[in-house]
Amino acid sequence: MTSHVNGRGGGSEAPWYRIPRKTIVNVEHPGIVHSLEKTIKTLGGPQSLKELVSERNEAPAASLYLRPDDHTNHPITADPVRSEDVLLRVTLSKRTGRKRKRGSAEPYQPDESIRRARKDAQYYLRSMRDCPSSYRVETVGAVQRTYRFRALSDFQHSTENSPFMNKMRDTLLQYDYPKLKNFRLDPSRGVKSPEDLIPPPTITPQTVPFNYSYLQNPAVKFALDATGKAVLTNLSTAQKILTVMVTHDDAEIPTTYNPQLPDLRTQDPKVQRTVHRVEELMQERPIWTRRALGNQLDDNTETINKASFQYVGYMFRSGPWREALVRFGVDPRTDAKYRIYQTMMFQISTKDAERGQTKWEEERTKYRRSKRGKMREMTSHIFDGKGICLDGKVWQVCDITDPILAHLLATTNLRPECDTRYDGWYQNGTWAKVKTIMKEKVKALIGGRQTSTVDLAKLLQLPDIINDATRDQTVLPRGANAREIEMATEIRVKASHGMSQAQIHAPRHGPASRARWRPGGPGDVGGESPGAHLPDAAAAGRHEARVEEAMEAFGRAGMDVEDVSEDDEEDEDEEDEDEDDDDDDVDEGVHDGGMEIEDGEDDGEDVDGDDDDQT
């Protein structure tokens, strides 16, 4: 290192300097200093600077006022920091504003860029390099304290247009007694116009900026698009599934996959292999649930399966084949042979199954599909009535091997035309019995028990077709328990989908009641109940009276009516409670009088027992 002292070049060793004993305080001003007088004013004036350089044991904090002329301006504070720096005075020649090429003998030429250059550290370093023999360095003293303004500035509130603050600034803040006497407060009441708001001394106590620790998302990478332009791509974004969806009443069915899907040849090789495998399975069986298909592809993850299924079939949003993947070009509504592929959906609650498990076991066994084939039951889509796997909530008729349900579904008593909204090719009574009994079996399996044929014997005797002519046969005989009555009511309600209000009225028990009204018999006009011909107010009163009568009968039978599901709107009564009082012999389904069942879409059976089973 070559040092230059007193204008002369030294040797290869750095010279020694003597540091005078002076108290020097360094204040790092955040602004650009043009005027030393204004800079001192922003620091509180000369008096404040004297306090900063005082040799007291506790050094005061420095205050920086961004608007020194406004007395309501909130300052930025800085605490002293101990430092061991040396203050140097560097003396160098003033630049003339002319220059020439280095090492040439040409005359100097004026350079306006030098005259207009900002005189910062870079400017002076350039001068020292240009004139290495004409500057000198001397030590001034050691810097023991440094003030750095690193705190956040408080919110600022301008009071230039505030009448009160202007009056206060002209009187109280002038520190002049004659002017102080001129300060007066307005004694009038009410809101002044314009409304004058006085700012608080401080608005926020937050002085340290919060470190958000922003980091680049590791899944976001730069990639080139089709035009060669660099774009940001999120590798963790799930691929959008574009499965073709139709409703139960759409006239046409799709014959190919969504045109917005990318070409299969551009997809992952594993997706391509899965598509070819699923196409082979679709030739063997044209309609599958996604769970059943997934069980045939045990080596794949759900992500691969979902990306593959959209290329081989479409799905119904509603109806008897809801949530099933149908091969393109196949319409199950056109032939009764597709009835074996109809689906049933149940709202599965795993509260009973998870009872007694540890917390981590509960999280692992909640309703979800396992992404590892070895952890998945490969026959979970089959319902045999002996066990249940809670990795799905949809079953197909062909996958039900339970003897009771399989016997009901093997019936040849089918509809001549498909009911595309609710029952498909099965009669309403058959489909209602199957769904209600399977719901009861699923609920029992989750609770750790099984349902026998004896428990369901009375329900199995109900007719396959439920209408006005057969509703008498849906009334259970005396001796039926509360659960059997509730399930019979549920079957009646499910079978009533799509029927008119007059068709869902239940008959009353006993010869006298049947003499008063029988569907299609004497006293019946058009198959409707007598209440249907009364004025609205009278019909409503009659209905409320019958509801109250049924509720009293329920209370005498010891039944908890609140345990009945909300969707089962027909209340039940044990028929052997009061044999002496004809008026108390209330039939099940008495609430049907004047009741209207919505033509709602079945959104899955509830096997919880507490929630409604229809959306």
Side-chain angles (χ1 to χ4, degrees):
M1 171 181 176
T2 301
S3 300
H4 307 278
V5 183
N6 296 328
R8 296 183 299 275
S12 60
E13 296 181 359
W16 289 82
Y17 293 93
R18 185 178 299 276
I19 301 177
R21 294 183 177 275
K22 290 183 179 180
T23 302
I24 299 178
V25 177
N26 179 27
V27 179
E28 296 182 0
H29 199 286
I32 300 175
V33 177
H34 290 293
S35 171
L36 184 60
E37 181 181 356
K38 291 183 179 180
T39 303
I40 294 176
K41 191 175 182 180
T42 59
L43 295 173
Q47 185 63 32
S48 298
L49 292 181
K50 290 181 180 179
E51 295 180 0
L52 295 181
V53 299
S54 62
E55 297 183 355
R56 295 183 301 179
N57 294 332
E58 294 184 2
S63 297
L64 175 65
Y65 297 89
L66 300 179
R67 301 196 313 277
D69 295 331
D70 188 354
H71 293 280
T72 62
N73 142 56
H74 302 166
I76 305 174
T77 59
D79 293 324
V81 178
R82 183 175 179 81
S83 59
E84 295 179 354
D85 299 330
V86 177
L87 179 63
L88 300 178
R89 179 184 290 117
V90 181
T91 305
L92 65 157
S93 302
K94 183 178 181 181
R95 302 181 69 177
T96 61
R98 299 180 300 166
K99 69 175 183 178
R100 67 179 179 183
K101 291 184 178 181
R102 191 181 304 276
S104 67
E106 298 177 0
Y108 287 97
Q109 300 293 332
D111 188 357
E112 292 297 329
S113 62
I114 298 179
R115 299 178 183 275
R116 295 192 302 266
R118 176 183 169 187
K119 296 182 179 180
D120 53 6
Q122 296 296 331
Y123 176 87
Y124 293 112
L125 285 174
R126 174 68 183 274
S127 298
M128 295 172 65
R129 286 195 298 265
D130 292 344
C131 305
S133 60
S134 62
Y135 70 87
R136 64 177 184 272
V137 180
E138 58 181 314
T139 58
V140 179
V143 180
Q144 300 177 354
R145 291 201 309 268
T146 300
Y147 289 91
R148 298 185 179 95
F149 296 95
R150 298 290 188 266
L152 290 176
S153 174
D154 193 9
F155 295 100
Q156 304 294 315
H157 188 286
S158 177
T159 58
E160 293 182 357
N161 300 323
S162 172
F164 176 81
M165 293 305 300
N166 287 333
K167 182 194 299 185
M168 186 176 178
R169 189 181 296 111
D170 295 338
T171 55
L172 295 180
L173 300 181
Q174 294 296 325
Y175 304 106
D176 188 359
Y177 182 71
K179 293 183 178 179
L180 180 63
K181 293 193 299 182
N182 294 331
F183 180 75
R184 294 287 186 276
L185 294 175
D186 187 359
S188 61
R189 299 180 180 181
V191 179
K192 309 299 186 300
S193 181
E195 187 176 358
D196 199 359
L197 298 177
I198 302 174
T202 57
I203 298 178
T204 174
Q206 188 71 23
T207 59
V208 179
F210 182 77
N211 183 14
Y212 288 93
S213 301
Y214 287 118
L215 296 175
Q216 176 64 44
N217 185 352
V220 176
K221 304 293 182 182
F222 276 100
L224 298 179
D225 60 7
T227 62
K229 182 180 178 182
V231 294
L232 284 175
T233 303
N234 192 340
L235 302 180
S236 64
T237 303
Q239 183 180 4
K240 189 174 182 180
I241 304 300
L242 300 173
T243 304
V244 181
M245 306 293 290
V246 297
T247 59
H248 67 277
D249 55 353
D250 281 348
E252 298 181 358
I253 52 105
T255 58
T256 185
Y257 57 81
N258 194 319
Q260 297 181 6
L261 284 174
D263 194 323
L264 182 59
R265 292 171 294 182
T266 63
Q267 292 286 47
D268 185 270
K270 181 170 283 191
V271 173
Q272 298 182 35
R273 292 194 298 269
T274 304
V275 169
H276 296 322
R277 173 58 180 154
V278 175
E279 287 177 344
E280 295 175 357
L281 294 172
M282 282 292 190
Q283 295 301 323
E284 302 173 5
R285 170 173 160 180
I287 304 175
W288 293 76
T289 61
R290 287 175 292 183
R291 175 169 54 161
L293 271 178
N295 289 341
Q296 314 304 315
L297 310 167
D298 56 304
D299 294 334
N300 286 356
T301 62
E302 285 194 14
T303 303
I304 296 295
N305 290 343
K306 289 181 179 179
S308 306
F309 293 166
Q310 56 188 343
Y311 284 95
V312 295
Y314 69 97
M315 298 182 69
F316 282 95
R317 295 183 183 274
S318 57
W321 292 273
R322 180 184 176 188
E323 295 294 324
L325 189 67
V326 185
R327 190 177 68 203
F328 287 123
V330 174
D331 188 352
R333 302 167 298 181
T334 59
D335 197 325
K337 68 180 181 180
Y338 295 115
R339 68 184 183 278
I340 62 174
Y341 304 119
Q342 291 183 208
T343 60
M344 286 177 285
M345 179 185 296
F346 301 92
Q347 296 176 357
I348 296 178
S349 172
T350 59
K351 292 183 292 184
D352 296 334
E354 295 174 359
R355 186 176 297 124
Q357 295 178 336
T358 60
K359 184 175 181 180
W360 68 271
E361 287 176 329
E362 292 177 2
E363 294 299 323
R364 289 170 63 92
T365 58
K366 280 185 178 178
Y367 167 63
R368 63 179 177 83
R369 286 290 304 271
S370 171
K371 293 187 178 181
R372 295 186 179 181
K374 63 180 182 181
M375 296 177 59
R376 183 167 53 203
E377 286 287 344
M378 308 312 297
T379 58
S380 62
H381 61 286
I382 297 177
F383 184 80
D384 58 2
K386 300 177 181 179
I388 185 172
C389 182
L390 301 179
D391 64 345
K393 57 180 181 178
V394 182
W395 282 269
Q396 285 182 281
V397 170
C398 60
D399 294 329
I400 297 175
T401 60
D402 177 81
I404 299 177
L405 298 176
H407 175 73
L408 290 173
L409 294 169
T411 179
T412 57
N413 185 6
L414 304 176
R415 288 175 176 266
E417 295 183 0
C418 179
D419 177 16
T420 62
R421 185 166 189 177
Y422 296 111
D423 305 322
W425 290 101
Y426 289 98
Q427 299 290 354
N428 62 342
T430 303
W431 195 241
K433 286 189 294 182
V434 169
K435 295 179 70 174
T436 303
I437 292 175
M438 185 169 178
K439 171 184 172 180
E440 180 68 16
K441 283 179 169 287
V442 171
K443 180 180 177 182
L445 291 175
I446 291 178
R449 57 186 177 84
Q450 292 187 1
T451 305
S452 65
T453 308
V454 178
D455 301 330
L456 306 172
K458 297 183 177 65
L459 301 176
L460 296 175
Q461 302 301 321
L462 298 183
D464 291 340
I465 303 176
I466 299 179
N467 51 27
D468 289 341
T470 61
R471 283 191 71 86
D472 285 344
Q473 304 174 29
T474 64
V475 179
L476 296 184
R478 298 183 182 276
N481 58 40
R483 182 54 186 157
E484 291 174 334
I485 295 176
E486 182 181 350
M487 293 177 64
T489 302
E490 188 173 343
I491 291 173
R492 203 159 42 244
V493 171
K494 293 183 185 304
S496 301
H497 287 314
M499 297 174 61
S500 65
Q501 177 178 342
Q503 291 176 305
I504 64 173
H505 291 158
R508 302 185 64 84
H509 289 297
S513 299
R514 291 170 183 161
R516 286 195 299 270
W517 172 60
R518 178 178 298 170
D524 177 28
V525 181
E528 296 184 352
S529 66
H533 299 282
L534 297 177
D536 292 341
R542 181 183 179 89
H543 175 59
E544 292 178 2
R546 297 178 66 189
V547 170
E548 185 176 358
E549 179 184 2
M551 296 294 286
E552 292 177 357
F554 274 129
R556 290 192 298 272
M559 295 177 59
D560 184 5
V561 295
E562 293 185 356
D563 287 341
V564 179
S565 147
E566 290 180 5
D567 195 39
D568 299 339
E569 300 186 38
E570 298 177 294
D571 288 332
E572 305 289 347
D573 176 43
E574 291 190 7
E575 302 166 345
D576 55 352
E577 180 65 21
D578 280 329
E579 298 183 359
D580 298 334
D581 190 352
D582 291 338
D583 293 335
D584 289 337
D585 192 9
V586 182
D587 72 308
E588 50 181 337
V590 69
H591 284 195
D592 285 347
M595 180 188 71
E596 179 179 359
I597 294 183
E598 291 186 352
D599 230 0
E601 185 174 311
D602 195 353
D603 195 28
E605 303 297 327
D606 170 55
V607 299
D608 194 339
D610 298 328
D611 302 327
D612 50 351
D613 58 78
Q614 176 179 327
T615 299

